[in-house]
Amino acid sequence: AVAQGRIVIPNNSLGIAPKNLQTTLSLYPNPATDVIVVANHFSDTKAEYSIFNILGVKVSEGYLIGERPTINISNLNHGIFVIKVTDGITVSNGKFIKQ
């Protein structure tokens, strides 16, 4: 754009937006017995989650919706688990202990 003889460059980023940004999930309670709450999920998006045991085997999956979604973990064995959540742009990871 030209304004009064000057070239004005809007304050916009140029280039390609990065994909698959990595963030860490905040989960509570940890350790947990029946349910975990995902504390920092975007409320306006539907995200897919996968839970893996310590050997890397997927033991649960589903979708998260809402600001503080809960996941029922009562059917999991006792142990340490890793959860991966993605909304198509951001990939978030966390660990929790099932008692």
Side-chain angles (χ1 to χ4, degrees), residues 20 43 59 72 93:
N20 294 332
S43 62
V59 295
N72 184 342
N93 297 293

Side-chain angles (χ1 to χ4, degrees), residues 51-88:
I51 297 176
F52 302 89
N53 65 17
I54 200 71
L55 299 175
V57 176
K58 186 188 293 186
V59 295
S60 182
E61 62 185 348
Y63 292 94
L64 301 176
I65 301 173
E67 189 173 326
R68 294 205 184 317
T70 60
I71 301 172
N72 184 342
I73 60 166
S74 62
N75 62 331
L76 298 179
N77 294 326
H78 300 281
I80 300 171
F81 294 89
V82 174
I83 181 170
K84 175 183 169 184
V85 178
T86 182
D87 64 2

Side-chain angles (χ1 to χ4, degrees), residues 8-96:
V8 178
I9 300 173
N11 190 13
N12 294 337
S13 298
L14 299 175
I16 299 172
K19 291 198 174 214
N20 294 332
L21 300 173
Q22 294 282 331
T23 62
T24 301
L25 289 173
S26 177
L27 306 169
Y28 67 89
N30 195 2
T33 55
D34 295 321
V35 173
I36 56 172
V37 178
V38 182
N40 58 349
H41 178 66
F42 299 103
S43 62
D44 59 344
T45 61
K46 178 179 177 182
E48 183 177 355
Y49 75 86
S50 299
I51 297 176
F52 302 89
N53 65 17
I54 200 71
L55 299 175
V57 176
K58 186 188 293 186
V59 295
S60 182
E61 62 185 348
Y63 292 94
L64 301 176
I65 301 173
E67 189 173 326
R68 294 205 184 317
T70 60
I71 301 172
N72 184 342
I73 60 166
S74 62
N75 62 331
L76 298 179
N77 294 326
H78 300 281
I80 300 171
F81 294 89
V82 174
I83 181 170
K84 175 183 169 184
V85 178
T86 182
D87 64 2
I89 298 171
T90 304
V91 177
S92 301
N93 297 293
K95 292 181 185 177
F96 67 93

